[in-house]
Amino acid sequence: MILKAHAKINLLLNVMGIRLDGYHELETIMQTLELHDILEISEAPNIEIDITGADLPTGPENLAYKAAALLREYSGYTRGIKIKLYKHIPLAAGLAGGSSDAAAVLNGLNQYWNLKIKPKELASLGAKIGSDIPFCLQGGTALVRGRGEIVSPVKHHLPPLGVVLVKPLFGVSTAQIYRLFDQVTNPFHPDYRGMLKAIERNDLVGFIKYLGNSLEPVTISLHPEIIKIKKEISNAGAIGTLMSGSGPTVFGLFENLSSAEQAAEKINMDSYWVKATCFC
Ligand code: C5P
């Protein structure tokens, strides 16, 4: 069985206070992108992971492995699985690459092993191993709240916008960025309600005005290069730019995929990773 694991961006990320479980309360609007990893699953006696395209651990610390192990334990299924993972989404990038692989494993094995686990149960299993997994299981455009476990789909008629992603050579630690956020005296709180209203009105110009991320100034304080990347993508014609998640990837939005592809050709920054894709 072949599975696709799509990247996501945060069109808006509002980080609020710390919860009793140590995580932060969030309000975020997430969007699935066409860019994806590919997973090929086949019969095996144990859980085996084989990775092409990235230098990642293949043992129990790997999120795809964790997802398979958790599902096996939860369902009592006794066979293993071989997962061949072809990575296209960069690591530690703010694009939910690892969470998306884990979500694809949960959805895929639920079918492959014929477990008939309900979507809500799968989401709470997924939330145990990563905050972005409940969203990745559903995909599309969604308002995501709580720690990441409350996922409400957003219906809209916005065109499938083009997206240019630019990731500098370094990655960031999400936990470190959240720790630094806690020290900010006057954090930025973008308004998700305003963005949702603009999306409902099908108002592209209004929607762009609400792009915002509480973590962007924090990651910029560590890596000011992010400002340069935003300028470069704007100069290439983006209608809006924002850092995704805890970063460091910056995305630029374009009216369609072909304008994103043309812009990506123009961007040439210190051998940074540049990719044109679109909403899906
Ligand atoms: O859940 P996940 O492993 O993706 O989260 C990575 C880190 O991000 C957590 O260890 C935590 O420091 C931070 N985080 C948070 N609040 C959230 C989601 C993530 O503080 N809602």
Side-chain angles (χ1 to χ4, degrees):
M1 183 186 263
I2 304 278
L3 308 167
K4 283 183 180 178
H6 290 268
K8 67 86 184 143
I9 49 174
N10 301 78
L11 298 171
L12 181 144
L13 174 57
N14 183 26
V15 181
M16 294 172 291
I18 306 182
R19 299 150 45 113
L20 290 175
D21 60 10
Y23 284 80
H24 291 74
E25 199 64 31
L26 307 178
E27 293 168 343
T28 176
I29 300 179
M30 291 194 184
Q31 173 64 50
T32 302
L33 300 181
E34 180 44 42
L35 170 70
H36 57 269
D37 291 340
I38 292 177
L39 295 90
E40 206 179 305
I41 56 176
S42 55
E43 296 276 336
N46 298 304
I47 299 174
E48 291 169 34
I49 313 258
D50 180 83
I51 301 176
T52 306
D55 191 13
L56 265 176
T58 54
E61 61 275 55
N62 183 293
L63 271 180
Y65 187 109
K66 279 189 191 170
L70 187 67
L71 201 61
R72 201 164 65 148
E73 189 193 303
Y74 181 76
S75 64
Y77 195 83
T78 50
R79 301 290 311 272
I81 195 79
K82 172 151 185 150
I83 302 172
K84 288 190 86 176
L85 172 55
Y86 299 89
K87 287 296 297 176
H88 301 289
I89 307 172
L91 313 177
L95 300 173
S99 301
S100 182
D101 296 339
V105 168
L106 290 173
N107 272 333
L109 289 185
N110 192 28
Q111 278 182 48
Y112 194 73
W113 288 343
N114 198 21
L115 302 175
K116 300 195 167 73
I117 298 175
K118 299 210 168 69
K120 269 198 173 166
E121 273 174 273
L122 267 193
S124 36
L125 273 181
K128 288 187 184 173
I129 51 175
S131 307
D132 290 337
I133 296 178
F135 167 75
C136 292
L137 284 163
Q138 287 196 20
T141 312
L143 169 65
V144 179
R145 282 173 296 173
R147 184 199 137 194
E149 75 282 16
I150 310 169
V151 181
S152 319
V154 173
K155 289 204 189 85
H156 67 82
H157 302 285
L158 290 176
L161 295 178
V163 179
V164 171
L165 300 167
V166 179
K167 183 192 168 286
L169 299 177
F170 53 85
V172 298
S173 149
T174 303
Q176 186 199 7
I177 300 299
Y178 274 99
R179 275 198 302 277
L180 287 174
F181 172 83
D182 294 334
Q183 292 159 24
V184 175
T185 40
N186 201 1
F188 169 54
H189 292 297
D191 169 17
Y192 84 90
R193 289 185 184 84
M195 178 175 273
L196 284 184
K197 279 187 194 142
I199 290 176
E200 275 161 23
R201 286 196 308 269
N202 213 0
D203 169 8
L204 183 59
V205 176
F207 155 74
I208 295 291
K209 284 189 193 140
Y210 286 100
L211 291 172
N213 181 345
S214 299
L215 301 178
E216 190 181 75
V218 180
T219 310
I220 284 176
S221 70
L222 281 184
H223 301 290
E225 305 84 309
I226 289 169
I227 299 177
K228 232 174 106 187
I229 299 176
K230 291 188 68 158
K231 281 197 187 128
E232 184 81 16
I233 307 178
S234 286
N235 290 343
I239 50 179
T241 64
L242 190 70
M243 187 187 81
S244 182
S246 55
T249 304
V250 175
F251 65 85
L253 298 180
F254 293 80
E255 262 146 39
N256 50 46
L257 175 61
S258 73
S259 45
E261 283 170 341
Q262 283 166 29
E265 302 237 317
K266 286 189 219 153
I267 297 170
N268 187 4
M269 293 189 75
D270 306 331
S271 59
Y272 289 177
W273 178 83
V274 179
K275 181 85 191 163
T277 179
C278 61
F279 285 16
C280 94

